[in-house]
């Protein structure tokens, strides 16, 4: 690229620069839709133990009962962060290394990024005699192609229900 700019007078004279610029303009018109995809989560699929940054962690998986079984979103958080989070997990632009959120939805992988504005927030509602523990999820994620997704949920019970 640096050489291209150093010899640009030659390229302009030969008409190549015009060709390169018109190609760049046509590519910019094919950018991903600016309307974000909305993903609504309403079912807890279960959890597992694992590792995050070489620390003991928990993974929670969610989906939407009206969609494909392969559509899932995952929360992974270290045990320590979960215990000390005061029932609120938050990651803005990858600012928190002990909590991560991502989704694989309709074949597209959505994730937190530090290059565009993304965030994930999970409110944990502790159980009482009437209701089991639940999570409320909100997030804004991005794909590798720049497509954005807004993730929302109501309070999702962490009690697995039979399929």
């Amino acid at each position: 690229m640096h050489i291209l700019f150093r010899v640009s007078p030659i390229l302009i004279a030969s008409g190549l620069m015009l060709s390169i610029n018109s190609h760049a303009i046509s590519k910019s018109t094919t950018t991903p839709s600016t309307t974000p995809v909305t993903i609504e989560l309403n079912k807890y699929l279960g959890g597992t133990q694992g590792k995050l940054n070489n620390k003991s962690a928990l993974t929670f998986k969610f989906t939407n009962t009206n969609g494909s079984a392969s559509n899932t979103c995952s929360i992974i958080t270290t045990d320590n962060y979960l215990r000390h989070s005061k029932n609120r997990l938050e990651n803005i632009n990858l600012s928190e290394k002990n909590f991560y959120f991502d989704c694989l939805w309709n074949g597209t992988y959505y994730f937190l990024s530090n290059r565009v504005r993304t965030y994930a927030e999970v409110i944990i509602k502790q159980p009482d005699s009437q209701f089991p523990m639940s999570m409320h999820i909100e997030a804004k994620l991005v794909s590798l192609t720049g497509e954005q997704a807004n993730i929302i949920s109501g309070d999702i019970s962490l009690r697995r229900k039979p399929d």
Side-chain angles (χ1 to χ4, degrees):
M1 289 298 267
H2 295 292
I3 294 171
L4 177 69
F5 290 114
R6 287 187 191 137
V7 295
S8 62
I10 296 168
L11 291 174
I12 291 171
S14 68
L16 289 175
M17 190 60 155
L18 179 60
S19 170
I20 291 168
N21 282 339
S22 65
H23 180 66
I25 291 168
S26 68
K27 274 205 167 287
S28 69
T29 60
T30 61
T31 57
S33 170
T34 56
T35 305
V37 171
T38 298
I39 297 171
E40 187 171 347
L41 302 174
N42 62 13
K43 182 180 180 184
Y44 174 60
L45 294 174
T48 58
Q49 290 185 326
K51 295 273 185 190
L52 178 62
N53 297 323
N54 293 319
K55 296 176 186 170
S56 178
L58 297 170
T59 300
F60 303 89
K61 289 200 175 274
F62 300 89
T63 193
N64 183 299
T65 54
N66 298 325
S68 166
S70 62
N71 289 344
T72 61
C73 292
S74 299
I75 293 168
I76 185 166
T77 181
T78 61
D79 293 339
N80 190 46
Y81 183 70
L82 184 62
R83 276 195 300 271
H84 295 95
S85 68
K86 296 183 181 169
N87 298 323
R88 183 174 182 217
L89 309 176
E90 186 175 58
N91 193 338
I92 300 170
N93 293 354
L94 291 176
S95 61
E96 177 52 61
K97 63 182 180 178
N98 295 305
F99 162 58
Y100 194 74
F101 183 80
D102 61 3
C103 296
L104 182 57
W105 210 265
N106 294 332
T108 302
Y109 178 63
Y110 298 97
F111 54 92
L112 292 164
S113 171
N114 61 359
R115 294 182 182 235
V116 293
R117 175 121 171 93
T118 59
Y119 74 92
E121 180 181 43
V122 177
I123 306 296
I124 301 165
K125 298 195 177 180
Q126 294 300 323
D128 62 28
S129 62
Q130 302 288 327
F131 299 100
M133 179 181 277
S134 65
M135 288 186 174
H136 178 88
I137 302 165
E138 288 187 27
K140 181 177 180 179
L141 306 177
V142 67
S143 73
L144 287 173
T145 59
E147 185 179 5
Q148 295 181 351
N150 292 324
I151 293 82
I152 57 173
S153 80
D155 292 342
I156 302 173
S157 168
L158 296 188
R159 183 181 297 157
R160 279 192 74 187
K161 296 175 184 150
D163 291 328

Short mmCIF file of all heavy atoms in Angstrom, two decimals, residues 67-94:
data_model
loop_
_atom_site.label_atom_id
_atom_site.label_comp_id
_atom_site.label_asym_id
_atom_site.label_seq_id
_atom_site.Cartn_x
_atom_site.Cartn_y
_atom_site.Cartn_z
N GLY A 67 -36.43 -21.04 17.46
CA GLY A 67 -35.43 -21.06 16.40
C GLY A 67 -34.74 -22.40 16.26
O GLY A 67 -35.16 -23.41 16.82
N SER A 68 -33.66 -22.39 15.54
CA SER A 68 -32.86 -23.58 15.31
C SER A 68 -32.14 -24.00 16.58
O SER A 68 -31.67 -23.16 17.34
CB SER A 68 -31.85 -23.29 14.20
OG SER A 68 -30.85 -24.29 14.16
N ALA A 69 -32.00 -25.30 16.76
CA ALA A 69 -31.28 -25.82 17.92
C ALA A 69 -29.81 -25.46 17.87
O ALA A 69 -29.13 -25.46 18.90
CB ALA A 69 -31.45 -27.33 18.01
N SER A 70 -29.29 -25.12 16.69
CA SER A 70 -27.87 -24.76 16.60
C SER A 70 -27.62 -23.29 16.92
O SER A 70 -26.48 -22.85 16.98
CB SER A 70 -27.34 -25.09 15.20
OG SER A 70 -28.03 -24.33 14.23
N ASN A 71 -28.67 -22.50 17.12
CA ASN A 71 -28.52 -21.10 17.52
C ASN A 71 -28.32 -21.03 19.03
O ASN A 71 -29.23 -21.34 19.79
CB ASN A 71 -29.76 -20.29 17.14
CG ASN A 71 -29.89 -20.08 15.66
OD1 ASN A 71 -28.95 -20.27 14.90
ND2 ASN A 71 -31.07 -19.70 15.22
N THR A 72 -27.13 -20.61 19.46
CA THR A 72 -26.85 -20.53 20.89
C THR A 72 -26.03 -19.29 21.21
O THR A 72 -25.27 -18.79 20.39
CB THR A 72 -26.07 -21.76 21.40
OG1 THR A 72 -24.82 -21.84 20.71
CG2 THR A 72 -26.86 -23.05 21.20
N CYS A 73 -26.20 -18.84 22.43
CA CYS A 73 -25.37 -17.79 23.00
C CYS A 73 -24.77 -18.34 24.29
O CYS A 73 -25.41 -19.13 24.99
CB CYS A 73 -26.18 -16.53 23.31
SG CYS A 73 -26.80 -15.68 21.85
N SER A 74 -23.55 -17.92 24.58
CA SER A 74 -22.84 -18.46 25.74
C SER A 74 -22.27 -17.35 26.61
O SER A 74 -21.73 -16.37 26.11
CB SER A 74 -21.67 -19.34 25.29
OG SER A 74 -22.12 -20.43 24.55
N ILE A 75 -22.42 -17.56 27.90
CA ILE A 75 -21.77 -16.73 28.91
C ILE A 75 -20.68 -17.59 29.50
O ILE A 75 -20.93 -18.73 29.86
CB ILE A 75 -22.76 -16.34 30.03
CG1 ILE A 75 -23.85 -15.44 29.48
CG2 ILE A 75 -22.03 -15.71 31.21
CD1 ILE A 75 -25.01 -15.25 30.45
N ILE A 76 -19.49 -17.05 29.62
CA ILE A 76 -18.44 -17.73 30.37
C ILE A 76 -17.84 -16.72 31.34
O ILE A 76 -17.55 -15.59 30.97
CB ILE A 76 -17.36 -18.38 29.47
CG1 ILE A 76 -16.38 -19.17 30.31
CG2 ILE A 76 -16.69 -17.36 28.58
CD1 ILE A 76 -15.48 -20.10 29.54
N THR A 77 -17.75 -17.14 32.59
CA THR A 77 -17.23 -16.24 33.62
C THR A 77 -16.43 -17.04 34.64
O THR A 77 -16.75 -18.20 34.91
CB THR A 77 -18.37 -15.47 34.32
OG1 THR A 77 -17.82 -14.59 35.29
CG2 THR A 77 -19.38 -16.39 34.97
N THR A 78 -15.39 -16.43 35.16
CA THR A 78 -14.61 -17.12 36.19
C THR A 78 -15.44 -17.23 37.46
O THR A 78 -16.31 -16.38 37.73
CB THR A 78 -13.29 -16.38 36.50
OG1 THR A 78 -13.59 -15.09 36.99
CG2 THR A 78 -12.39 -16.29 35.27
N ASP A 79 -15.19 -18.27 38.22
CA ASP A 79 -15.91 -18.46 39.48
C ASP A 79 -15.76 -17.25 40.39
O ASP A 79 -16.72 -16.76 40.98
CB ASP A 79 -15.39 -19.70 40.22
CG ASP A 79 -15.71 -21.00 39.48
OD1 ASP A 79 -16.63 -21.00 38.65
OD2 ASP A 79 -15.03 -22.00 39.76
N ASN A 80 -14.54 -16.75 40.49
CA ASN A 80 -14.25 -15.62 41.37
C ASN A 80 -15.01 -14.36 40.94
O ASN A 80 -15.60 -13.67 41.77
CB ASN A 80 -12.74 -15.36 41.41
CG ASN A 80 -12.36 -14.38 42.48
OD1 ASN A 80 -12.81 -14.48 43.62
ND2 ASN A 80 -11.52 -13.42 42.12
N TYR A 81 -15.02 -14.07 39.65
CA TYR A 81 -15.74 -12.88 39.16
C TYR A 81 -17.23 -13.03 39.42
O TYR A 81 -17.89 -12.08 39.85
CB TYR A 81 -15.46 -12.67 37.67
CG TYR A 81 -16.10 -11.44 37.10
CD1 TYR A 81 -15.65 -10.16 37.46
CD2 TYR A 81 -17.16 -11.52 36.21
CE1 TYR A 81 -16.24 -9.01 36.95
CE2 TYR A 81 -17.76 -10.38 35.69
CZ TYR A 81 -17.29 -9.13 36.06
OH TYR A 81 -17.88 -8.00 35.55
N LEU A 82 -17.76 -14.21 39.20
CA LEU A 82 -19.19 -14.45 39.45
C LEU A 82 -19.54 -14.24 40.91
O LEU A 82 -20.53 -13.59 41.24
CB LEU A 82 -19.56 -15.87 39.01
CG LEU A 82 -21.03 -16.26 39.12
CD1 LEU A 82 -21.90 -15.38 38.23
CD2 LEU A 82 -21.20 -17.73 38.73
N ARG A 83 -18.70 -14.74 41.81
CA ARG A 83 -18.97 -14.60 43.25
C ARG A 83 -18.88 -13.16 43.73
O ARG A 83 -19.59 -12.75 44.63
CB ARG A 83 -17.98 -15.45 44.06
CG ARG A 83 -18.39 -16.90 44.20
CD ARG A 83 -17.60 -17.60 45.28
NE ARG A 83 -16.17 -17.60 45.03
CZ ARG A 83 -15.52 -18.55 44.32
NH1 ARG A 83 -16.18 -19.54 43.83
NH2 ARG A 83 -14.23 -18.47 44.15
N HIS A 84 -18.00 -12.36 43.14
CA HIS A 84 -17.78 -10.99 43.59
C HIS A 84 -18.44 -9.94 42.71
O HIS A 84 -18.17 -8.75 42.86
CB HIS A 84 -16.27 -10.72 43.70
CG HIS A 84 -15.62 -11.55 44.76
ND1 HIS A 84 -15.01 -12.75 44.48
CD2 HIS A 84 -15.53 -11.39 46.10
CE1 HIS A 84 -14.55 -13.29 45.59
NE2 HIS A 84 -14.86 -12.48 46.60
N SER A 85 -19.30 -10.35 41.80
CA SER A 85 -19.89 -9.41 40.84
C SER A 85 -21.10 -8.65 41.37
O SER A 85 -21.61 -7.77 40.68
CB SER A 85 -20.32 -10.18 39.59
OG SER A 85 -21.41 -11.03 39.91
N LYS A 86 -21.57 -8.98 42.55
CA LYS A 86 -22.77 -8.35 43.11
C LYS A 86 -23.95 -8.52 42.16
O LYS A 86 -24.73 -7.59 41.92
CB LYS A 86 -22.51 -6.89 43.44
CG LYS A 86 -21.46 -6.73 44.51
CD LYS A 86 -21.26 -5.29 44.89
CE LYS A 86 -20.17 -5.23 45.95
NZ LYS A 86 -19.71 -3.90 46.20
N ASN A 87 -24.04 -9.73 41.58
CA ASN A 87 -25.16 -10.13 40.71
C ASN A 87 -25.25 -9.35 39.41
O ASN A 87 -26.31 -9.31 38.78
CB ASN A 87 -26.48 -10.06 41.46
CG ASN A 87 -26.51 -10.99 42.63
OD1 ASN A 87 -25.98 -12.09 42.56
ND2 ASN A 87 -27.12 -10.56 43.72
N ARG A 88 -24.14 -8.77 38.96
CA ARG A 88 -24.13 -8.05 37.68
C ARG A 88 -22.80 -8.31 36.97
O ARG A 88 -21.74 -7.87 37.44
CB ARG A 88 -24.31 -6.56 37.93
CG ARG A 88 -24.39 -5.77 36.66
CD ARG A 88 -24.71 -4.33 36.97
NE ARG A 88 -24.84 -3.59 35.74
CZ ARG A 88 -24.42 -2.36 35.60
NH1 ARG A 88 -23.88 -1.72 36.61
NH2 ARG A 88 -24.57 -1.75 34.46
N LEU A 89 -22.88 -8.99 35.84
CA LEU A 89 -21.70 -9.23 35.02
C LEU A 89 -21.71 -8.21 33.89
O LEU A 89 -22.74 -7.98 33.27
CB LEU A 89 -21.74 -10.64 34.41
CG LEU A 89 -21.98 -11.81 35.36
CD1 LEU A 89 -22.09 -13.10 34.58
CD2 LEU A 89 -20.90 -11.89 36.41
N GLU A 90 -20.56 -7.59 33.64
CA GLU A 90 -20.52 -6.55 32.62
C GLU A 90 -19.18 -6.56 31.90
O GLU A 90 -18.13 -6.70 32.52
CB GLU A 90 -20.75 -5.18 33.27
CG GLU A 90 -20.87 -4.06 32.28
CD GLU A 90 -21.21 -2.76 32.97
OE1 GLU A 90 -20.46 -2.31 33.85
OE2 GLU A 90 -22.25 -2.17 32.61
N ASN A 91 -19.25 -6.44 30.57
CA ASN A 91 -18.05 -6.33 29.75
C ASN A 91 -18.34 -5.34 28.64
O ASN A 91 -19.23 -5.57 27.82
CB ASN A 91 -17.66 -7.70 29.17
CG ASN A 91 -16.28 -7.70 28.58
OD1 ASN A 91 -15.74 -6.67 28.22
ND2 ASN A 91 -15.69 -8.89 28.48
N ILE A 92 -17.60 -4.24 28.62
CA ILE A 92 -17.75 -3.21 27.60
C ILE A 92 -16.48 -3.18 26.79
O ILE A 92 -15.38 -2.97 27.33
CB ILE A 92 -18.02 -1.82 28.23
CG1 ILE A 92 -19.29 -1.87 29.07
CG2 ILE A 92 -18.09 -0.75 27.15
CD1 ILE A 92 -19.52 -0.63 29.91
N ASN A 93 -16.61 -3.45 25.48
CA ASN A 93 -15.45 -3.44 24.57
C ASN A 93 -14.28 -4.27 25.08
O ASN A 93 -13.14 -3.85 25.02
CB ASN A 93 -15.00 -2.01 24.29
CG ASN A 93 -16.02 -1.21 23.51
OD1 ASN A 93 -17.02 -1.74 23.06
ND2 ASN A 93 -15.76 0.05 23.34
N LEU A 94 -14.56 -5.44 25.60
CA LEU A 94 -13.54 -6.38 26.11
C LEU A 94 -12.76 -5.81 27.29
O LEU A 94 -11.60 -6.13 27.48
CB LEU A 94 -12.58 -6.80 24.99
CG LEU A 94 -13.17 -7.69 23.91
CD1 LEU A 94 -12.13 -7.95 22.83
CD2 LEU A 94 -13.67 -8.99 24.49
#
